[in-house]
Amino acid sequence: MLSLKKHLEQQLQQRQQANLYRHRASHLEPQAVIRHIQGRSFISFCSNDYLGLANHPALVKTCQSGLEDYGLGAGAAHLLHGHSQAHEQLETALADFTGRERALLFSTGYMANLGIISALLDRQDAVILDKLDHASLIDGAILSRAQIYRYPHGNLEILERQLKTAAERSRFCLLVTDGVFSMDGTLAPLPEMVALAAKYQAWLMVDDAHGFGVLGDSGGGCLEHFALDTEQVPILMATLGKAAGVFGAFVAGSEVLIESLIQSARSYIYTTALPPALALATRQSLQLIQDETWRRQHLQQHIQHFRAGAKKLGLPLVDSLTPIQPVILGSSEQALAASKLLYEAGLLISAIRPPTVPKNSARLRITFSASHEAQQIDYLLSQLARL
């Protein structure tokens, strides 16, 4: 039998040979469009800081004030006296923002999805997922031990067949989807999914990590974009470390949903609460998302500017109206080579490879922020033309 060390060495070598090895790059500065690495300046097109709030002075000041009031760590889980007034106020603000009865904070979106799905389902139930749903949704489904169905991306015909089968064989059925698919930037067909869920009496859960703050007139995300209410989508999850620029996640829904998750969601019960200072900063961020509508307008201008230029170049884009604008190249080798050439030109753009995306769909994942400037996008287009 191989030793653990030898086994892991072989696995890492296989990843390297398949061009699937991942690397980290460290930095010493706040999140921003311009990054500095080893004495060089780069324009970053790989951040999820869609509204440019991650280093907003008002959020920094609020967090600093919160540190003076609450200290750093929460010190305990929410149910063991780690739940502060700052947490309570943020949950109330999130409920108001989303137009729902209550909201519940989680430390990360991954933990939220694990906790929600595993708390609501068991072996008697079914969960249906799009094949491009985020890994945390898939893992939550596995953890729940429910019967899992997965339909080809966006295929409503197969989804309906699976819903019909699940309705016949299972006690309850949960239909789960990304609102904005994180590697494609495309939107789930939520109005059609709402109709199918109602037809087969399934519950619908939307993970709006990449839509929250970005879509909708007030930044309410995919549900505001499609004008869907809490009856149509009873379970809404979104993260607070992307457009909101801070950290954490939440689920919003009915009083009974939130109270049930408090009692049963293991990834909520058995983990330390979010630092209270971050909760205060997030409340400030929600206000900026609502008040500074120019951020979303500016962001949309950048997206349209890029797409118009990319179309002239004949780049293989997907149909995305979100800040996520992937250029699909095919092989991992091609994606890595393109990312390296762009790096040499002073552009930070990540190569996304399997298993994060399906085989033969490796890509450059280009993302935009309200903090970008038009000339930076023009430079990006000029370098993509060289490829």
Side-chain angles (χ1 to χ4, degrees):
M1 181 182 294
L2 287 176
S3 68
L4 174 61
K5 180 181 178 181
K6 189 66 175 178
H7 169 64
L8 294 178
E9 286 174 344
Q10 289 183 355
Q11 284 192 324
L12 290 175
Q13 186 178 30
Q14 289 169 2
R15 292 190 70 86
Q16 289 175 323
Q17 291 171 346
N19 291 306
L20 299 178
Y21 205 87
R22 297 181 172 104
H23 298 274
R24 300 183 302 176
S26 60
H27 58 83
L28 295 171
E29 59 196 353
Q31 182 64 239
V33 164
I34 301 297
R35 312 308 302 268
H36 299 92
I37 301 174
Q38 296 180 341
R40 287 187 60 194
S41 295
F42 293 84
I43 307 171
S44 173
F45 287 99
C46 59
S47 169
N48 293 331
D49 182 25
Y50 302 130
L51 298 182
L53 295 177
N55 191 36
H56 193 287
L59 302 192
V60 174
K61 184 177 180 180
T62 301
C63 190
Q64 290 171 338
S65 176
L67 290 172
E68 294 176 2
D69 292 340
Y70 287 98
L72 185 54
H78 284 279
L79 296 174
L80 293 178
H81 299 286
H83 187 72
S84 69
Q85 189 177 48
H87 297 117
E88 189 76 21
Q89 290 171 344
L90 175 56
E91 289 180 342
T92 299
L94 287 165
D96 291 342
F97 186 90
T98 58
R100 290 167 180 253
E101 290 179 356
R102 284 186 68 183
L104 184 68
L105 283 172
F106 283 81
S107 295
T108 66
Y110 212 110
M111 293 178 70
N113 285 336
L114 292 182
I116 295 163
I117 300 173
S118 62
L120 295 178
L121 304 177
D122 63 27
R123 294 181 188 275
Q124 305 174 70
D125 305 318
V127 57
I128 304 178
L129 306 104
D130 188 296
K131 282 198 172 181
L132 294 189
D133 275 346
H134 191 267
S136 59
L137 296 173
I138 297 168
D139 290 353
I142 293 170
L143 189 63
S144 75
R145 296 176 292 181
Q147 176 65 48
I148 297 174
Y149 300 82
R150 298 183 69 190
Y151 59 93
H153 178 52
N155 192 318
L156 295 173
E157 182 180 348
I158 294 178
L159 169 58
E160 181 164 14
R161 291 208 298 265
Q162 292 178 347
L163 279 165
K164 186 175 185 295
T165 300
E168 293 169 350
R169 297 180 180 178
S170 306
R171 181 185 60 167
F172 301 122
C173 177
L174 177 64
L175 173 57
V176 182
T177 185
D178 285 16
V180 175
F181 290 91
S182 59
M183 294 299 123
D184 284 34
T186 53
L187 274 62
L190 290 180
E192 293 84 353
M193 296 179 75
V194 164
L196 288 174
K199 181 177 179 180
Y200 294 98
Q201 297 184 311
W203 308 332
L204 180 57
M205 172 182 170
V206 174
D207 175 339
D208 203 21
H210 295 272
F212 183 77
V214 172
L215 299 175
D217 291 340
S218 65
C222 286
L223 303 194
E224 183 180 16
H225 175 78
F226 287 116
L228 300 173
D229 61 29
T230 188
E231 293 296 323
Q232 295 166 306
V233 183
I235 309 165
L236 169 65
M237 195 288 291
T239 55
L240 301 167
K242 298 179 177 67
V246 192
F247 187 71
F250 70 95
V251 57
S254 65
E255 170 81 27
V256 69
L257 170 69
I258 300 307
E259 197 58 40
S260 296
L261 293 175
I262 290 173
Q263 303 304 318
S264 304
R266 293 165 68 90
S267 59
Y268 174 81
I269 297 168
Y270 299 111
T271 195
T272 301
L274 196 75
L278 291 182
L280 290 173
T282 305
R283 279 183 62 206
Q284 180 69 51
S285 174
L286 290 178
Q287 196 62 54
L288 291 173
I289 289 171
Q290 290 175 295
D291 293 346
E292 297 187 354
T293 56
W294 63 265
R295 292 181 181 274
R296 279 182 295 283
Q297 294 166 0
H298 202 191
L299 181 59
Q300 278 302 318
Q301 289 170 2
H302 289 334
I303 294 166
Q304 296 308 317
H305 182 173
F306 171 76
R307 290 187 65 83
K311 185 177 180 180
K312 290 180 181 178
L313 294 175
L315 294 178
L317 297 182
V318 300
D319 187 18
S320 167
L321 54 78
T322 72
I324 303 165
Q325 297 289 323
V327 177
I328 299 175
L329 298 176
S331 72
S332 297
E333 184 178 13
Q334 286 175 305
L336 284 172
S339 179
K340 182 180 178 181
L341 285 171
L342 293 170
Y343 182 88
E344 292 170 354
L347 296 168
L348 296 180
I349 299 174
S350 299
I352 307 298
R353 296 154 288 161
T356 304
V357 293
K359 289 182 179 180
N360 302 316
S361 71
R363 65 198 63 189
L364 298 172
R365 182 181 184 267
I366 300 170
T367 57
F368 293 98
S369 167
S371 298
H372 280 118
E373 297 178 359
Q375 58 266 36
Q376 293 170 333
I377 297 171
D378 287 335
Y379 180 69
L380 166 64
L381 287 166
S382 72
Q383 295 307 307
L384 288 172
R386 293 179 60 224
L387 297 179

